[in-house]
Amino acid sequence: MTINVGVIGCGKRFNELYIQVLELLVKEKKINLKIAYNRNISHLSHLTEKFNCKLTSDIKDIIENVEVDLIIITVPKNLRNKIIIQKNFNPKLLLLEVPFSNNLGEYYFLKKKLIDKGIKFEVFEDRFFLKKYNFKNKVFKYVVNFNKEWKHHAIGALFNIDNESKYLKKIRYYNNLIKDFDVYKLTTNKLSLLYIFSSDKKKANREKGFIKIYDQEGQRTEVKEKDYDRIKNLNDGQSSLYICIENFLQNPNLNHVYSYEFLEAEQIIVTMMKLMKKLKIKKVNKLSIIVIKNLFKIYGYLIDYGKRLV
């Protein structure tokens, strides 16, 4: 069965990451790109040539198009969230990118909105979907992440390595352990690891942004091409996106996809780290995490109730 796809946002990231993946999926007759939206479509004639799709600068054309099964949104999060809470936004399937939300409360609000509408959704996390790490007979110890904005990607890598890392037991925060770096010790059911990232702009440039994984002996794990599933003629990011979309289309009800099994854990970890840094909290245990999680859940439902009243 061929799925009709609509795209919201055809900027630089779409052109660099999505086009080749969608071309391959069209060639394999898994999808048909039906319509693409962008505020300015004057430079998008190449999409019509490649996909024979309709171009529009009116977002209603895609939101209200009943022929579209899957909508892919690549616009910034603040614009994306305004779109998905619209009353008439109701695709069968929805693909988004990280970060899904700013905090745990917003996560519960947005998730409730999508579930109430009956929308099956997935969040593309490239470090999770690209099965890139081979840790047979090794004990995972810590991750070094030299870019503050890549917190989500590092966490996606953790979930990739060990599913049990989603069960968080406690976090310790060390704000003076390493100069110019934030250091957290995350303890899960099976792992105890250091998560280090730079809040210094000079240290947090993308050239140094690769996530480094170390084993128990402190040796960095080298990744060889044979260790992961790169798709032919696609780079790492494109291969990861292909795997994500293909998994999602095959069975959107699968519970092992990122959004259903790992997204809440990601939001809990990120929110806890932000709170601990802002409030200078040194340690939170499992009970504290459960209490804070439930408070954010109530907050998310209050957001939903308040918007309904408006």
Side-chain angles (χ1 to χ4, degrees):
M1 179 181 174
T2 303
I3 299 293
N4 287 331
V5 175
V7 173
I8 296 177
C10 303
K12 182 180 178 181
R13 179 165 174 79
F14 174 79
N15 282 280
E16 291 178 351
L17 182 65
Y18 282 82
I19 285 182
Q20 278 187 264
V21 175
L22 296 181
E23 276 189 291
L24 180 56
L25 289 167
V26 168
K27 186 178 180 180
E28 295 172 345
K29 296 184 179 180
K30 294 175 181 176
I31 69 164
N32 171 40
L33 184 56
K34 193 83 175 174
I35 184 170
Y37 160 84
N38 205 59
R39 284 188 298 178
N40 179 8
I41 60 173
S42 61
H43 61 293
L44 298 178
S45 58
H46 61 290
L47 293 183
T48 305
E49 294 168 7
K50 287 179 183 290
F51 300 104
N52 192 29
C53 64
K54 178 182 176 181
L55 298 178
T56 182
S57 57
D58 185 350
I59 201 164
K60 288 183 180 179
D61 289 343
I62 189 168
I63 289 178
E64 298 175 1
N65 192 321
V66 295
E67 295 182 348
V68 172
D69 304 302
L70 165 65
I71 290 182
I72 298 172
I73 303 183
T74 68
V75 298
K77 175 167 54 60
N78 61 325
L79 297 175
R80 180 189 73 198
N81 291 350
K82 289 179 182 177
I83 293 167
I84 65 179
I85 65 173
Q86 289 186 29
K87 192 173 183 179
N88 58 349
F89 182 80
N90 198 28
K92 296 174 186 174
L93 306 171
L94 176 64
L95 181 66
L96 308 169
E97 292 194 337
V98 292
F100 179 73
S101 61
N102 286 319
N103 57 58
L104 198 52
E106 189 177 54
Y107 159 77
Y108 287 121
F109 162 67
L110 293 172
K111 183 179 179 181
K112 186 176 187 301
K113 276 288 182 187
L114 293 171
I115 290 175
D116 287 349
K117 290 182 176 187
I119 299 173
K120 302 292 184 183
F121 71 98
E122 177 59 300
V123 174
F124 169 53
E125 166 40 67
D126 61 343
R127 299 287 177 178
F128 173 77
F129 282 101
L130 193 62
K131 303 302 181 184
K132 186 169 182 171
Y133 306 103
N134 187 1
F135 271 80
K136 290 181 180 178
N137 303 319
K138 290 190 177 181
V139 179
F140 177 62
K141 189 177 183 183
Y142 63 97
V143 56
V144 179
N145 183 35
F146 286 100
N147 193 320
K148 188 175 180 181
E149 298 303 316
W150 287 16
K151 289 198 290 285
H152 296 272
H153 298 304
I155 293 167
L158 303 188
F159 296 152
N160 182 328
I161 293 161
D162 190 336
N163 289 355
E164 294 295 310
S165 60
K166 66 186 175 182
Y167 299 115
L168 189 63
K169 293 174 73 175
K170 61 183 176 182
I171 308 178
R172 293 189 73 96
Y173 173 49
Y174 306 93
N175 61 333
N176 295 314
L177 188 63
I178 306 175
K179 186 180 178 182
D180 297 326
F181 285 83
D182 291 308
V183 180
Y184 295 86
K185 184 177 182 182
L186 309 179
T187 302
T188 70
N189 277 357
K190 288 187 176 180
L191 303 173
S192 182
L193 54 101
L194 292 180
Y195 176 37
I196 308 166
F197 66 92
S198 172
S199 54
D200 183 284
K201 287 185 178 180
K202 291 181 181 178
K203 291 184 173 65
N205 67 56
R206 288 186 179 271
E207 290 179 9
K208 297 178 181 178
F210 186 77
I211 298 163
K212 300 170 180 66
I213 308 293
Y214 294 82
D215 64 21
Q216 194 174 32
E217 288 75 39
Q219 298 297 313
R220 183 174 171 187
T221 296
E222 296 297 329
V223 181
K224 297 179 182 179
E225 239 180 73
K226 65 181 180 181
D227 289 337
Y228 62 94
D229 306 320
R230 179 184 285 165
I231 308 302
K232 187 177 180 182
N233 298 324
L234 300 180
N235 62 31
D236 284 358
Q238 292 166 341
S239 296
S240 183
L241 178 62
Y242 177 91
I243 294 166
C244 173
I245 294 176
E246 188 178 49
N247 286 352
F248 190 38
L249 294 181
Q250 284 178 354
N251 189 347
N253 297 309
L254 284 175
N255 288 329
H256 66 258
V257 292
Y258 195 76
S259 298
Y260 285 80
E261 192 167 358
F262 299 99
L263 186 59
E264 182 182 36
E266 172 207 284
Q267 297 294 313
I268 290 170
I269 292 170
V270 172
T271 298
M272 290 297 169
M273 290 196 298
K274 287 180 178 178
L275 275 177
M276 293 176 77
K277 182 175 181 178
K278 186 172 183 178
L279 302 177
K280 297 181 179 179
I281 299 170
K282 299 295 183 183
K283 180 182 177 181
V284 291
N285 57 26
K286 190 172 183 178
L287 179 59
S288 302
I289 292 168
I290 292 171
V291 170
I292 294 170
K293 169 187 166 181
N294 287 329
L295 287 173
F296 271 104
K297 187 175 286 189
I298 293 169
Y299 171 61
Y301 292 162
L302 288 175
I303 296 174
D304 182 48
Y305 180 68
K307 289 188 180 291
R308 288 175 188 271
L309 288 178
V310 172

